[in-house]
Amino acid sequence: MKKLLTALILGLFVLTLSACDLLNSPGIQNILSDLTISGVEDIEVAVGAEVDLLEGVTVLGDDEGNYLDDLTLDSTCTITDGILDTSTAGTCTVTYEVVVGDITTFQTITVTITADAITDNDPVITGAGDVLVEEGMTFDPLDSVVAADVEDGDLTSSITYTVTGPNGETTFDDSVDGIWTFVYSVTDADDNTVTVSRAVTIGELLWVSYGYDMALNGDAYTFTYSGVTAQFWNMNAQYPLAEALDASISAVEFTFTGELGQDYIFKAEGPGNAYSSEVSVTATGEEEVVSVPLDTLTAEEITGLEKLVLFATTVDGAGSVTVHSVQFVMAEPAWVAYGWTMTQSGSDYVFEFSGTDANQFWNNNAQFAIDPALDANATSVDVTLTAPEQDFMLKIEITGGANLEVPFTGTGAEQVVSIPLDGFTAEQIPQLSLVVLFATTVDGTGTVTVHGVDVVVPEPTAWNAYGWTMSQSGDDFVFEFSGTDANQFWNNNAQYTIDPALDANATSVDVTLTAPVQDFMLKIEITGGANLEVPFTGTGAEQVVSIPLDGFTAEQIPQLSLIVLFATTVDGTGTITVHSVDVVVAEPTDWVAYGWTMSQSGDDYVFEFSGTDANQFWNNNAQFAIAPALEANATSVEVTLTAPVQDFMLKIEITGGAFLEVPFTGTGAEQVVSLPLDGFTAEQIPQLTLIVLFATTVDGTGTVTVHSVDVVAPEPTTWNAYGWTMSQSGDDFVFEFSGTDANQFWNNNAQYTIDPPINANATSVDVTLTAPVQDFMLKIEITGGAFLEVPFTGTGAEQVVSIPLDGFTAEQIPQLNLVVLFATTVDGTGTVTVHSVDVIMPAWIAYGWTMTQSGDDYVFDFSGTDANQFWNNNAQYPLMPAIDATATSVDVTLTAPVQDFMLKIEITGGAFLEVPFTGTGAEQVVSIPLDGFTAEQIPQLTLIVLFATTVDGTGTVTVHSVDVVLPS
């Protein structure tokens, strides 16, 4: 369903936006932070007048919820069920108060009851605020517009209106885009007439507002906001990206005018906020441009961006922000043409050239700026291109300096032209700034397409030799050495660069090698700093030489950067083969002790403590790092332990933030201490990082054994209740409801999240339930889009309510994400039990043929079979459930005309069998034997396909059954 966005959101539209649109806002969670009471003002009435103090009153939250049911009245008047007692003249006050959680708001009015009749009051029209209507949506000008008069009561049925359309029309047509001006009028019994004007703007809305009021003026969207909280993300404006962005877009530019000195965030966001780019800006009060760069995103992420979002972030900020335009900025092209014509096709650059001059071919060319600079180790630059069979040249150069020209001849097909860099020094390679492409055939004409420019850098080796000869054999590094000098053996060696950095918890580095029976040395070092030398003697066989790291601090270990291997036997000669270098890291522990002694026994952690200090017990403790993060819906963390009969305390905390302390006394036996999480918000729970165990008995001594730490979270449910009470009994979901409101039954419901998505070929969703003999409704929907409502009456017994899907397209069916159950009988009360939700699939699916069902038979009409492509049109039967591994055949019973056909059984993308057959014009059985498949393959068979293979064949095939044959 498309959205109706109004300046004053009333009735059904509030519910539509809060129940549907907010669910369609990945990465943004609307949380109630403010309430507004409307329709309340001082009253003057005559004695005996009938006054309903709740008439016309609304209570809306900034989460777009309706909280009228939470409204209470406190008064010095007498009030019964909202009706004011006007039997006695006088003055009193009425306070309208709403309390939701820790949020409270109220308004107080004065009521004057006069002894004399009050006449000649003007009527009042409400609900006629300006609105925006999404193009293509039906709009009723009288919907939610109400008129009332003190003397006459409800005058809504007397409202009339005139309309002026964008082109001067006087009859409203909601299919015409533009601004329609309505003038509403109502006259009371005293001939008092009032009029109210409203603007209704119809068109394609690029932005959607959540918690802001939105107005459209030409192409500019103005968002009015107030009461911004620290949770500013609850209110925002969103620009859905209806089509995928081009991967070459480098930025999104917003032209906007905001409130002077207030802060805003402009954001480009991927699905579920999985990735994004955002920019914060302080407004100048003038029209300005803010650019959100996309260069931190991959090409796939750019094309996958789902929406643009605007937030007002200044706490307590109020005002408006106008977005004048949104521009998508393309990245600068990698190539530039001089004298040639250049176009882009995807990532390809296409150059058209003509009339090459023999003496001045260099005047016309295409140039590629090298950015970023080449790696000094690069060996070549490879240009992949398609060029005609003419002569060309590639040139690489340092601007105004060294260069290399590489002539080549086009092949007419895609080819790679390599520009070698071995003629440049390591200092020059990073200075190379330009690649230039020339056409050198005199009077040459044609088109060159450059597909890519790639820099070739050799794979780095783990080891490098200095004064020795190094070769590689698989993963082994082989070093030949000779003539070791007693005084300068360190000049010749092999070096291993440590990358990535060692873990601070590493205990040793083990080098596995084979060396002759001579003396050697391994050295590990921080370049220019701490080091350790480990002499060893080769054994002539494979051996492990361990370099212990316990002499280094935890800060030094990650700084170790080099291992060096020396041969130290004077005049030694031979070969060393290094097989591997392995870092040994101590197994991490869940708990760490500070001032206590810790040991492990299986999965248990045992802590010995003594001499607890009354004033500083917190100095000595055991700490448990929470990893991974807790789920936001976790309800408690339970620590199972055995502790002596002394006092202890468990503390759970966000490092440097919120925490909870739970004192407890040990029992001397195994016990569970629970840390409740209901005092933390859903945002805080995943931020909890640490559990700390303290011994708090003064001078206490003993041993605590922690057996486990367990996180308790509620089991996820497929259904959720809103305004109803839900419980589970086995696989059943039981919902209790009461007091259904005729006008707002949709406020209370049960919702079923569809996951995984429905198959595009599904025919219906069947809900099995037991409901009382009252009226109900099931609704299936794409959040914020297409939907279907199915009213039904409960039978008091188990029944199946089917939601047909034939009104949705194949593209829409997998997007259906919610089933909603409503009770629609006014003041209805009772219990609904949902037993199951089942997706119904047809046994067969037709592609290019027409399929109908007759009882259990599937009837396929086919025509015009193409000899070369008969496989394009067929009927397919998914094999569900999997076939038993012992099955011997699959038998298809069918009636087909006397033409040629084929049955195929297959593992998708794998083994298959084709069985040609000729129809008999009567019922026949075609058997697909399975003896050519293995016992492992048979259960993997996923599909049977029926083809018509007679050229230009036409007719009807009826499939009666598909039977799996098992051995007797």
Side-chain angles (χ1 to χ4, degrees):
M1 95 188 77
K2 295 190 175 179
K3 305 178 186 67
L4 174 64
L5 305 177
T6 66
L8 178 61
I9 305 175
L10 293 174
L12 178 58
F13 297 109
V14 170
L15 296 165
T16 301
L17 286 171
S18 61
C20 298
D21 291 77
L22 295 181
L23 293 174
N24 196 30
S25 179
I28 298 167
Q29 181 184 12
N30 283 32
I31 298 174
L32 178 67
S33 61
D34 192 24
L35 293 162
T36 301
I37 302 174
S38 303
V40 174
E41 58 185 14
D42 292 344
I43 300 173
E44 184 178 0
V45 296
V47 169
E50 184 174 320
V51 179
D52 183 351
L53 293 171
L54 297 177
E55 183 177 352
V57 177
T58 62
V59 182
L60 301 179
D62 60 356
D63 63 346
E64 313 214 11
N66 187 336
Y67 294 92
L68 184 60
D69 290 345
D70 298 295
L71 179 67
T72 60
L73 301 179
D74 184 22
S75 178
T76 57
C77 308
T78 300
I79 301 171
T80 304
D81 294 331
I83 304 301
L84 177 68
D85 180 358
T86 61
S87 60
T88 305
T91 302
C92 59
T93 59
V94 179
T95 298
Y96 294 75
E97 183 176 30
V98 182
V99 179
V100 180
D102 59 356
I103 299 170
T104 301
T105 190
F106 65 90
Q107 286 193 38
T108 299
I109 65 170
T110 299
V111 177
T112 303
I113 305 172
T114 65
D116 300 324
I118 300 172
T119 61
D120 210 23
N121 285 287
D122 288 341
V124 177
I125 298 175
T126 59
D130 294 344
V131 295
L132 302 175
V133 179
E134 177 74 23
E135 182 180 68
M137 185 173 180
T138 299
F139 177 73
D140 180 356
L142 290 174
D143 187 40
S144 301
V145 180
V146 176
D149 183 74
V150 172
E151 295 83 32
D152 303 334
D154 186 3
L155 296 175
T156 300
S157 62
S158 301
I159 297 174
T160 61
Y161 68 84
T162 60
V163 62
T164 303
N167 304 307
E169 298 93 337
T170 57
T171 300
F172 179 57
D173 182 354
D174 57 15
S175 67
V176 177
D177 289 359
I179 299 176
W180 293 79
T181 302
F182 289 83
V183 178
Y184 296 87
S185 176
V186 70
T187 302
D188 65 12
D190 296 320
D191 287 330
N192 296 315
T193 299
V194 294
T195 59
V196 173
S197 180
R198 83 188 308 189
V200 175
T201 303
I202 299 176
E204 182 182 2
L205 301 180
L206 300 178
W207 287 85
V208 181
S209 174
Y210 297 92
Y212 299 162
D213 289 333
M214 183 173 79
L216 180 61
N217 184 11
D219 292 332
Y221 289 79
T222 298
F223 305 99
T224 303
Y225 57 90
S226 63
V228 177
T229 70
Q231 295 176 320
F232 61 84
W233 51 84
N234 287 336
M235 299 189 297
N236 56 76
Q238 298 183 19
Y239 182 108
L241 296 170
E243 297 181 357
L245 297 185
D246 190 295
S248 60
I249 290 175
S250 60
V252 182
E253 289 186 351
F254 299 84
T255 302
F256 80 102
T257 303
E259 296 290 339
L260 175 64
Q262 292 193 28
D263 297 328
Y264 302 90
I265 289 178
F266 292 85
K267 181 179 183 182
E269 183 177 302
N273 203 23
Y275 51 84
S276 64
S277 178
E278 64 181 53
V279 171
S280 300
V281 62
T282 301
T284 63
E286 304 291 336
E287 185 173 309
E288 57 190 304
V289 177
V290 61
S291 181
V292 178
L294 304 183
D295 52 3
T296 59
L297 305 180
T298 66
E300 290 75 16
E301 289 174 335
I302 291 173
T303 58
L305 286 169
E306 185 175 80
K307 69 182 79 169
L308 309 177
V309 191
L310 164 63
F311 303 97
T313 61
T314 298
V315 176
D316 296 327
S320 64
V321 55
T322 298
V323 179
H324 305 288
S325 66
V326 177
Q327 300 290 331
F328 299 96
V329 181
M330 301 293 288
E332 289 295 322
W335 285 84
V336 180
Y338 296 89
W340 292 355
T341 301
M342 182 180 84
T343 57
Q344 277 187 263
S345 177
S347 57
D348 290 348
Y349 288 82
V350 182
F351 303 100
E352 294 184 18
F353 62 94
S354 63
T356 301
D357 186 326
N359 296 320
Q360 294 184 317
F361 67 81
W362 49 83
N363 285 340
N364 301 326
N365 56 66
Q367 297 185 9
F368 175 89
I370 299 173
D371 185 25
L374 299 182
D375 187 290
N377 297 308
T379 56
S380 68
V381 175
D382 290 355
V383 181
T384 303
L385 48 79
T386 300
E389 295 177 4
Q390 299 177 35
D391 293 332
F392 298 87
M393 184 170 71
L394 281 169
K395 178 181 181 182
I396 193 167
E397 64 180 48
I398 298 170
T399 304
N403 65 77
L404 175 68
E405 297 176 346
V406 178
F408 69 95
T409 301
T411 64
E414 186 173 306
Q415 66 190 105
V416 177
V417 182
S418 186
I419 307 173
L421 303 181
D422 53 5
F424 298 98
T425 66
E427 289 72 25
Q428 289 176 319
I429 291 174
Q431 299 177 49
L432 291 165
S433 56
L434 202 65
V435 175
V436 189
L437 172 63
F438 301 98
T440 58
T441 294
V442 177
D443 297 327
T445 299
T447 300
V448 178
T449 300
V450 178
H451 307 293
V453 178
D454 300 296
V455 179
V456 179
V457 179
E459 287 293 323
T461 61
W463 286 88
N464 288 287
Y466 297 87
W468 293 355
T469 301
M470 182 179 82
S471 60
Q472 278 187 263
S473 176
D475 293 332
D476 291 347
F477 289 84
V478 182
F479 303 99
E480 295 184 17
F481 64 94
S482 62
T484 301
D485 185 324
N487 296 319
Q488 295 184 316
F489 66 81
W490 51 82
N491 284 340
N492 302 326
N493 55 65
Q495 297 183 11
Y496 175 90
T497 302
I498 300 173
D499 185 24
L502 299 182
D503 187 291
N505 297 308
T507 56
S508 68
V509 178
D510 291 353
V511 181
T512 303
L513 48 78
T514 301
V517 184
Q518 299 178 35
D519 294 331
F520 299 88
M521 184 169 71
L522 281 169
K523 178 182 181 181
I524 194 168
E525 64 180 50
I526 300 170
T527 304
N531 65 77
L532 174 69
E533 296 177 346
V534 178
F536 69 95
T537 301
T539 62
E542 185 172 306
Q543 65 190 106
V544 177
V545 181
S546 186
I547 306 174
L549 303 180
D550 52 4
F552 298 98
T553 66
E555 290 72 26
Q556 289 176 320
I557 290 174
Q559 299 176 49
L560 292 165
S561 55
L562 202 64
I563 296 174
V564 189
L565 172 63
F566 301 98
T568 58
T569 294
V570 177
D571 297 327
T573 298
T575 299
I576 301 179
T577 300
V578 177
H579 307 293
S580 65
V581 178
D582 300 298
V583 179
V584 180
V585 180
E587 286 295 322
T589 61
D590 295 326
W591 287 85
V592 179
Y594 295 89
W596 293 355
T597 301
M598 182 179 85
S599 59
Q600 279 187 263
S601 175
D603 293 332
D604 291 347
Y605 289 83
V606 182
F607 303 100
E608 295 183 19
F609 63 94
S610 63
T612 300
D613 185 325
N615 296 319
Q616 295 184 317
F617 66 83
W618 51 83
N619 285 340
N620 301 326
N621 56 66
Q623 297 184 12
F624 176 90
I626 299 173
L630 300 181
E631 291 289 337
N633 62 352
T635 56
S636 66
V637 177
E638 294 184 349
V639 182
T640 304
L641 49 78
T642 301
V645 185
Q646 299 178 35
D647 293 331
F648 298 87
M649 184 169 70
L650 279 170
K651 178 182 181 183
I652 191 167
E653 65 180 51
I654 298 169
T655 303
F659 64 89
L660 173 71
E661 296 177 342
V662 177
F664 68 95
T665 301
T667 63
E670 185 172 306
Q671 66 190 103
V672 177
V673 182
S674 184
L675 299 168
L677 303 180
D678 52 4
F680 299 98
T681 67
E683 290 73 26
Q684 289 176 320
I685 291 174
Q687 299 177 46
L688 292 165
T689 54
L690 202 65
I691 296 173
V692 190
L693 171 64
F694 302 97
T696 57
T697 295
V698 177
D699 296 327
T701 299
T703 300
V704 178
T705 301
V706 177
H707 307 293
S708 65
V709 178
D710 301 296
V711 179
V712 179
E715 287 294 322
T717 63
T718 52
W719 286 88
N720 288 289
Y722 297 88
W724 292 356
T725 301
M726 182 179 84
S727 60
Q728 279 187 262
S729 175
D731 293 331
D732 291 347
F733 288 84
V734 182
F735 303 100
E736 296 183 18
F737 63 95
S738 63
T740 300
D741 185 325
N743 296 319
Q744 295 183 320
F745 66 82
W746 49 82
N747 281 342
N748 302 325
N749 56 66
Q751 297 184 11
Y752 174 89
T753 302
I754 298 172
D755 185 26
I758 299 176
N759 186 288
N761 297 300
T763 57
S764 67
V765 175
D766 288 357
V767 181
T768 304
L769 49 78
T770 301
V773 185
Q774 299 177 35
D775 293 331
F776 298 87
M777 184 169 71
L778 281 169
K779 178 183 181 182
I780 193 168
E781 66 178 50
I782 299 168
T783 302
F787 66 91
L788 175 69
E789 296 175 343
V790 178
F792 70 95
T793 301
T795 63
E798 185 172 306
Q799 66 190 105
V800 177
V801 182
S802 185
I803 306 174
L805 303 180
D806 52 4
F808 299 97
T809 66
E811 290 71 28
Q812 289 176 320
I813 290 175
Q815 299 177 49
L816 291 164
N817 58 357
L818 201 66
V819 175
V820 190
L821 172 64
F822 302 97
T824 57
T825 294
V826 177
D827 297 326
T829 299
T831 300
V832 178
T833 301
V834 179
H835 306 294
S836 65
V837 179
D838 301 296
V839 177
I840 307 303
M841 296 287 296
W844 285 85
I845 302 168
Y847 295 89
W849 292 355
T850 302
M851 181 180 84
T852 57
Q853 278 187 263
S854 176
D856 293 332
D857 290 347
Y858 287 83
V859 182
F860 303 99
D861 289 330
F862 64 94
S863 63
T865 301
D866 186 326
N868 296 320
Q869 294 183 318
F870 67 82
W871 50 83
N872 285 340
N873 302 323
N874 55 67
Q876 297 185 10
Y877 178 91
L879 291 166
M880 293 185 296
I883 298 176
D884 188 285
T886 62
T888 57
S889 68
V890 177
D891 290 354
V892 181
T893 304
L894 49 79
T895 300
V898 185
Q899 298 178 36
D900 292 332
F901 298 88
M902 183 169 72
L903 281 169
K904 178 182 180 182
I905 193 168
E906 64 180 51
I907 299 170
T908 303
F912 65 89
L913 175 68
E914 296 176 343
V915 179
F917 69 95
T918 300
T920 64
E923 185 172 307
Q924 66 190 105
V925 177
V926 182
S927 185
I928 306 173
L930 302 181
D931 53 5
F933 299 98
T934 66
E936 289 74 25
Q937 290 176 318
I938 291 174
Q940 299 177 46
L941 291 165
T942 53
L943 201 65
I944 294 175
V945 190
L946 171 63
F947 301 97
T949 57
T950 294
V951 177
D952 298 326
T954 299
T956 300
V957 178
T958 300
V959 178
H960 306 294
S961 65
V962 178
D963 301 296
V964 178
V965 179
L966 298 172
S968 300

